[in-house]
Amino acid sequence: GAPSQPQRRKQHPMATTVARCCLAFCTFLCLLSDAVRLRQNSSQQRPLIDEPQLPYCVYPHQGEDAMIRVFVSPDNSRQLQFGEHGFGTQTSVECTNAISGACASKERSQDLSKTPSCQLKDCACERDNSKLEFNYMKRIMEVVQPMCTQSEHSFRVMLIGLGGGALPSYILEHCPAGSRVESVDHDARVVEAATNFFGLKVQKGKTEVEVNDAEKAVQERLDRGDRASYDVILVDCFTADDLVPASCRSPALVTGMRKLLRPQGKVIQQVWGQQLEAVEHVYKDAFGNDAQTKPCDGLGANFLLIGSN
């Protein structure tokens, strides 16, 4: 007779359910791993500090503002982080001068409460302005640098959110003489860190810094007749959680910034993906079809919102 066919074993329904659950769980773990890797890969924007490195000094909490940590590496590079457990670096610069004095000390405390206050420290930095560390800053300058080099008048920039002062320093190094950058930050500690540790050189009429709220700073300029007087306004304003605070994305702020722009001027704001839709809506309301969104990388994590006058 015909050869007998091997019989298939019947799988118990419970075994099938368990297998499906395992497959679903493994899929979830893979997706979670991808999401973590995506956020970590975005360190091109804000590179992570190596775990063994400890802060050289800290600015303690101030009201609702988080702790600020300043890192000084043996090669005299500097990093700035917001919060006690900041996810990534807010500012990273390389200093060309040799590290010396107390700055060269390798003594660091694991206990942040025992880490010295930055208000008692000072480490001079002659910053390297030949390059920018973060991709989003490079994308910003791809827009700004052609504007300033082709400008027929003194180029004027306003920056909301100072950080370590990388953007104003780079702009003044690479734009024609006579260019001017006015930086605004609501936190005096950030201004002190930028000047004492990150090599920002404040000079009247060239690179000026004020401690002020974003909306208030814009409105004060409108009130004193500065309408249509800025070529570019940059917004690089974040909390310790990498979120744009309400004061740096409000309709009043974006509408006011547009009024400050010269013809063909631009507002450029960095934003992470989780807030893109909300902030994008504000720009479309203020600029209409003259608002556009540009990715800073191929990861879909970080974007520039650009409003053109």
Side-chain angles (χ1 to χ4, degrees):
S4 60
Q5 299 292 325
Q7 292 186 350
R8 293 183 179 179
R9 293 178 58 189
K10 283 190 175 182
Q11 196 169 29
H12 193 280
M14 180 61 73
T16 302
T17 301
V18 169
R20 286 175 178 170
C21 288
C22 288
L23 178 61
F25 183 66
C26 289
T27 302
F28 168 76
L29 289 178
C30 289
L31 291 172
L32 181 61
S33 175
D34 286 345
V36 170
R37 187 171 65 253
L38 174 67
R39 187 70 172 99
Q40 289 176 334
N41 284 344
S42 67
S43 63
Q44 296 178 62
Q45 312 300 323
R46 302 197 189 283
L48 301 180
I49 295 296
D50 293 336
E51 191 62 31
Q53 188 173 358
L54 297 169
Y56 171 72
C57 64
V58 299
Y59 289 95
H61 293 266
Q62 181 175 286
E64 296 182 356
D65 293 324
M67 172 184 288
I68 298 175
R69 297 180 293 162
V70 173
F71 297 79
V72 179
S73 301
D75 63 357
N76 209 18
S77 60
R78 313 284 173 89
Q79 294 85 27
L80 182 75
Q81 287 191 5
F82 295 152
E84 295 181 21
H85 307 287
F87 189 89
T89 304
Q90 300 294 327
T91 295
S92 179
V93 304
E94 293 183 8
C95 305
T96 59
N97 56 303
I99 191 168
S100 61
C103 302
S105 170
K106 295 182 179 180
E107 292 184 11
R108 302 287 190 271
S109 174
Q110 294 276 357
D111 186 350
L112 285 176
S113 67
K114 296 179 181 178
T115 301
S117 169
C118 293
Q119 293 167 324
L120 304 176
K121 299 285 186 178
D122 187 0
C123 285
C125 172
E126 294 296 329
R127 63 184 304 145
D128 179 2
N129 290 320
S130 66
K131 60 183 179 180
L132 291 166
E133 298 294 329
F134 298 156
N135 277 346
Y136 83 89
M137 291 185 178
K138 296 173 185 176
R139 301 292 86 80
I140 286 174
M141 289 309 302
E142 286 173 3
V143 178
V144 173
Q145 197 162 344
M147 293 177 65
C148 73
T149 54
Q150 296 168 16
S151 177
E152 297 179 354
H153 53 257
S154 295
F155 198 73
R156 191 176 182 188
V157 179
M158 181 179 183
L159 169 65
I160 297 175
L162 176 64
L167 280 170
S169 299
Y170 188 90
I171 289 170
L172 292 172
E173 183 77 19
H174 296 270
C175 286
S179 299
R180 175 179 176 180
V181 182
E182 301 164 26
S183 301
V184 177
D185 202 290
H186 84 286
D187 193 338
R189 300 173 305 162
V190 173
V191 176
E192 183 177 308
T195 53
N196 288 356
F197 297 96
F198 293 87
L200 178 67
K201 299 185 186 302
V202 178
Q203 185 178 341
K204 187 172 179 59
K206 184 175 182 181
T207 173
E208 300 181 357
V209 180
E210 67 180 91
V211 177
N212 206 346
D213 171 78
E215 282 186 25
K216 186 179 177 184
V218 168
Q219 188 58 51
E220 286 175 353
R221 283 162 171 76
L222 291 172
D223 291 343
R224 69 185 185 221
D226 273 351
R227 289 173 183 261
S229 57
Y230 289 85
D231 296 283
V232 173
I233 300 177
L234 306 175
V235 186
D236 189 15
C237 178
F238 290 93
T239 66
D241 298 320
D242 262 350
L243 296 175
V244 180
S247 61
C248 290
R249 54 182 169 87
S250 68
L253 174 68
V254 178
T255 301
M257 290 191 295
R258 181 167 195 181
K259 293 176 182 177
L260 288 176
L261 291 179
R262 284 175 168 145
Q264 285 76 55
K266 297 181 185 296
V267 174
I268 307 173
Q269 179 160 5
Q270 185 209 174
V271 63
W272 290 97
Q274 66 265 39
Q275 287 185 298
L276 176 62
E277 187 176 350
V279 186
E280 196 174 41
H281 181 74
V282 177
Y283 272 76
K284 288 180 178 177
D285 282 349
F287 288 93
N289 293 332
D290 293 318
Q292 61 180 136
T293 303
K294 288 190 174 184
C296 293
D297 54 31
L299 303 173
N302 193 227
F303 300 86
L304 294 182
L305 294 174
I306 304 175
S308 302
N309 209 13

